[in-house]
Amino acid sequence: MLARKSFLIRLIFALTLLPGMATAEPMTFEQAWHSVLTRNDAIAAERANVQRAEHMRNAASAHHLPSVSLSGNYTRLDQNVELKPSQLAHHMNGGDALGQIAGSVPQLGPLMGNLDNLLTTTLADRDIYTSSIRAIWPIFTGGRILAAEDIANAQREEAKFLMQMAQQAKFEDLAKVYFATVLAEQVLQTRIEMEQGLAKHLDHAKKMEEQGQIARVERLQAEVSFDKARTERRKAERDLEIAQAALQTLVKSDAPVTPSSALFTQKHPPAMAPFMEKTLADYPGLKVLDAKGEQADGLVNLEKGKYYPQVYLYGNYNLYEGDSLTAELAPDWAVGVGVSIPLIDNGGRSDKVKAAHSTALQVQYLRAQAEQDLSLLVEKTWREAGQALEEYQGLASSISLAQENLRLREKAFAQGLSTSLDVVDAELYLASIKTQQLAASYQYVLSLSRLLAISGEMHRFPEFQSASLQSIQPLQG
């Protein structure tokens, strides 16, 4: 009796030391999923990537607008730009004849020299300051602007689908960690029950040894088995601590959390066909490849556009040109139409078009392969879910048998018809069957969560949880 009380005291003390048992906050799976959606850094990074792609799409649309620039220049010449009457006369019609006349009449030579001294005009100073506003508006670019917009739109869609893939991956991670914690809690409970059963057996063996009903080796066997059970219970406690730490990190909670949603199963797995159809129709990985295909098509159009001429409007308005004669004579503004026709290009236009076609073909093959892989994944996961259900349901009779076997072994041991080893084996067998059934329910939940994730129906998870309460018996403890 004292040994039993001592064991209960140690057990209560051990339970109070479980991590966060006194301060842990209960959290349902839906609450944990909401926390992951709003706090997870990987999902936040993909969300930022969507915003980046949105800004890049807006930037591509801006290419339709004119570009306006303000420029200012300072130029230093080696000397002032001057114009002499003799230079002007030389470039005028008949200027050579005037020079010949001036050369034949000696009196005209000095006169021409005086005119150069008197009438020399400075067209521009050595220091030239100018500023102007220039605008260029593309009218026709061979479809390159439209192709760039198509590529940017496809990149934005790709970013959205990548974010959805990140959410699906985190949903699977959360299901794995969350229900691993639930499994660890229930395994710990199984280990505690086994330890209690072996403690009771040890207490009984001690009394029977004192009365001379069993040999000392029988009591030692019971004591060794109890020590092993206590070790297994402590190991289960450490496993639970690790699982709780992983869950707290995943949901980014400041305080320890404990899951309040239980493992569950159904009588039958859900039909595979709806999951298959939904996955092949809406899986974001396929949508990513579709977006890459659109980008490849846009790249083809972009490279083809380099063969076409560019037409643009342009205009220039001089804000400041200085006080020189050249500045006074120059017009304040000018507008016009420009055409640029590519004749010989050293960028390898032809090969780039071929490379773009090859990229589009590559995406088509990748998508076809991805559909095959997804079909196989859905079928494999669905069959794993069905196998887990079969194992769970098949173990129910094994648990009943193990419980009855343990009861009979304990009764036979009390009557001296069975050994301590027989009782220990029966206790261990019952614990192992319970653990197998828990593992089967855990595997079913993981398979179901994967099916829901890849089909994009994570919101249906509570529906299956609710249905399980009416369709199955609770886990046998």
Side-chain angles (χ1 to χ4, degrees):
M1 189 68 180
L2 292 176
R4 182 178 300 178
K5 290 183 178 179
S6 176
F7 163 73
L8 292 177
I9 293 174
R10 293 197 306 270
L11 180 60
I12 294 174
F13 179 74
L15 291 176
T16 59
L17 292 180
L18 287 177
M21 185 66 72
T23 60
E25 298 179 0
M27 178 178 289
T28 65
F29 183 78
E30 290 75 25
Q31 292 172 335
W33 175 231
H34 177 72
S35 179
V36 170
L37 281 178
T38 55
R39 299 182 181 181
N40 185 261
D41 292 330
I43 295 178
E46 294 297 336
R47 193 177 295 116
N49 186 43
V50 173
Q51 296 174 353
R52 180 200 64 81
E54 182 70 26
H55 294 316
M56 294 302 296
R57 186 192 70 86
N58 296 335
S61 299
H63 291 158
H64 288 287
L65 302 176
S67 63
V68 181
S69 60
L70 173 65
S71 63
N73 297 284
Y74 164 73
T75 305
R76 174 73 173 180
L77 306 178
D78 63 340
Q79 61 182 6
N80 294 339
V81 180
E82 298 178 344
L83 178 62
K84 299 179 181 179
S86 59
Q87 294 175 325
L88 181 61
H90 177 72
H91 290 279
M92 294 174 57
N93 293 332
D96 293 337
L98 291 176
Q100 294 175 359
I101 294 173
S104 61
V105 181
Q107 291 81 2
L108 294 179
L111 178 60
M112 294 299 295
N114 292 332
L115 289 176
D116 285 346
N117 293 331
L118 294 174
L119 302 179
T120 295
T121 301
T122 301
L123 298 179
D125 296 331
R126 296 182 62 185
D127 298 314
I128 301 176
Y129 300 90
T130 60
S131 63
S132 62
I133 294 179
R134 182 174 179 82
I136 299 178
W137 193 351
I139 302 301
F140 177 75
T141 61
R144 277 179 278 183
I145 293 180
L146 296 177
E149 278 189 308
D150 293 339
I151 293 174
N153 287 329
Q155 289 175 340
R156 180 190 60 176
E157 294 301 312
E158 178 185 353
K160 289 182 178 179
F161 294 128
L162 287 175
M163 183 179 69
Q164 293 180 15
M165 290 184 66
Q167 291 175 346
Q168 292 179 355
K170 288 303 173 184
F171 183 84
E172 289 190 50
D173 291 343
L174 176 63
K176 185 182 298 182
V177 173
Y178 185 94
F179 289 102
T181 306
V182 177
L183 177 62
E185 289 179 345
Q186 297 194 1
V187 169
L188 174 60
Q189 181 61 36
T190 300
R191 299 303 182 199
I192 291 175
E193 293 174 358
M194 183 178 68
E195 184 179 2
Q196 290 174 341
L198 291 176
K200 178 182 176 182
H201 173 64
L202 175 60
D203 184 57
H204 195 189
K206 288 180 179 179
K207 292 180 179 179
M208 294 182 68
E209 181 189 13
E210 292 174 356
Q211 297 173 2
Q213 295 179 349
I214 62 173
R216 180 170 178 269
V217 67
E218 296 287 342
R219 191 265 303 168
L220 290 175
Q221 179 65 49
E223 189 171 351
V224 170
S225 300
F226 171 73
D227 291 338
K228 289 183 178 179
R230 182 169 52 187
T231 302
E232 290 294 324
R233 186 258 303 168
R234 290 173 177 173
K235 181 178 181 298
E237 290 176 359
R238 303 289 86 76
D239 292 339
L240 178 58
E241 291 176 5
I242 295 172
Q244 286 180 327
L247 178 60
Q248 180 180 350
T249 301
L250 185 58
V251 300
K252 299 193 74 172
S253 173
D254 297 331
V257 296
T258 182
S260 57
S261 299
L263 290 167
F264 60 92
T265 61
Q266 270 84 33
K267 289 183 178 179
H268 305 286
M272 181 179 67
F275 287 111
M276 185 72 73
E277 295 174 0
K278 199 76 169 61
T279 299
L280 296 180
D282 299 331
Y283 183 65
L286 297 178
K287 300 296 184 181
V288 168
L289 292 175
D290 291 338
K292 287 189 176 295
E294 294 177 2
Q295 294 175 47
D297 293 338
L299 186 59
V300 171
N301 296 329
L302 183 65
E303 296 299 333
K304 286 183 176 179
K306 295 180 180 180
Y307 286 94
Y308 297 98
Q310 297 187 64
V311 182
Y312 54 91
L313 300 177
Y314 66 90
N316 189 82
Y317 182 79
N318 296 321
L319 298 176
Y320 178 77
E321 295 180 308
D323 299 328
S324 65
L325 179 61
T326 303
E328 293 179 3
L329 295 176
D332 292 334
W333 59 269
V335 295
V337 178
V339 178
S340 175
I341 302 176
L343 298 178
I344 299 176
D345 181 78
N346 61 354
R349 292 177 298 183
S350 177
D351 287 329
K352 287 183 178 179
V353 171
K354 294 177 181 178
H357 280 296
S358 298
T359 301
L361 187 61
Q362 178 190 17
V363 172
Q364 293 178 8
Y365 287 128
L366 288 174
R367 196 186 194 284
Q369 183 63 47
E371 287 184 354
Q372 296 178 19
D373 294 341
L374 281 174
S375 299
L376 179 60
L377 177 61
V378 171
E379 182 175 358
K380 174 179 177 293
T381 306
W382 180 80
R383 294 189 181 279
E384 288 175 347
Q387 181 180 354
L389 283 182
E390 292 177 358
E391 183 178 358
Y392 178 88
Q393 296 164 0
L395 288 172
S397 59
S398 298
I399 289 182
S400 298
L401 175 61
Q403 289 174 336
E404 180 65 16
N405 180 56
L406 176 61
R407 187 183 69 82
L408 294 176
R409 293 298 181 184
E410 289 176 341
K411 186 176 180 180
F413 178 77
Q415 297 175 355
L417 301 176
S418 178
T419 64
S420 175
L421 185 60
D422 293 332
V423 177
V424 171
D425 289 341
E427 190 76 52
L428 293 178
Y429 179 68
L430 175 60
S432 67
I433 295 299
K434 287 182 178 180
T435 303
Q436 289 180 37
Q437 193 179 49
L438 289 172
S441 63
Y442 173 69
Q443 182 58 49
Y444 173 75
V445 172
L446 287 190
S447 299
L448 177 64
S449 65
R450 181 174 295 117
L451 286 174
L452 294 174
I454 61 180
S455 62
E457 295 188 308
M458 291 93 74
H459 61 279
R460 293 187 58 196
F461 192 84
E463 173 187 332
F464 288 93
Q465 283 181 303
S466 301
S468 69
L469 299 178
Q470 301 174 356
S471 61
I472 66 168
Q473 297 296 324
L475 290 172
Q476 300 193 31

